[in-house]
Amino acid sequence: MNFCSECGQSVRVGIPDDDNRPRHICDNCGTIHYQNPKIVAGTVPVYGDKVLLCKRAIEPRVGYWTLPAGFMENEESTDAAAARETWEEANAKVDIKHLYVLIDTIAISQVYMMFLADMPEPEYGAGPESLEVELFSEDEIPWDELAFPTIEKTLRLYFEDRKKGEYPLHQCQVTKEDRDRFFAQASAVNHA
Ligand SMILES: [Zn+2]
């Protein structure tokens, strides 16, 4: 951030009085611009023994597969955001079951909230942010072509739970080390 969104003057980075972290501060109007984590809401859309994935048409990670998910909008609930993203990216209508995987990705200040969801019909298609949308069984999942470590983690949990027939809420983290490992492997595969 370079300029104040309130008054347009330059901002500086500093630790405000009574605070302990650096913030963007506008000395002209006195506004302190706090930045907080973003919430990514999405679904694990299930039809029979298959899960719906989207091949990304947009950066980052164009051409890699993901579960439908995206940033929440203001004045929206998390489950509505997850259903909306599923409709926009995969043109699929889903019945949201419950919050299924919550992942803190501290290194990039994002919180993933993935909901388990049923697809009443096997109807789907590529929205503007997707190149392709397809249903995959466990042995068809393109594990080497997944877009993000959060997506891999969610899918691993899902197929483990599927064997037990129980889908409890999982609260977990994707660490910086997890991310480095994931993207190193992905690029090795990609350049092979
Ligand atoms: Zn200002």
Side-chain angles (χ1 to χ4, degrees), residues 68-98:
F71 291 117
M72 268 183 89
E73 299 289 358
N74 290 339
E75 302 180 351
E76 185 176 47
S77 67
T78 49
D79 56 340
R84 175 182 53 74
E85 289 290 342
T86 308
W87 174 251
E88 288 176 0
E89 295 183 3
N91 294 161
K93 290 206 169 100
V94 288
D95 295 332
I96 301 275
K97 308 288 280 184
H98 60 83

Side-chain angles (χ1 to χ4, degrees), residues 4-9 11 26-31 33:
C4 178
S5 54
E6 295 296 316
C7 73
Q9 295 297 305
V11 295
C26 176
D27 289 321
N28 185 54
C29 73
T31 300
H33 298 274

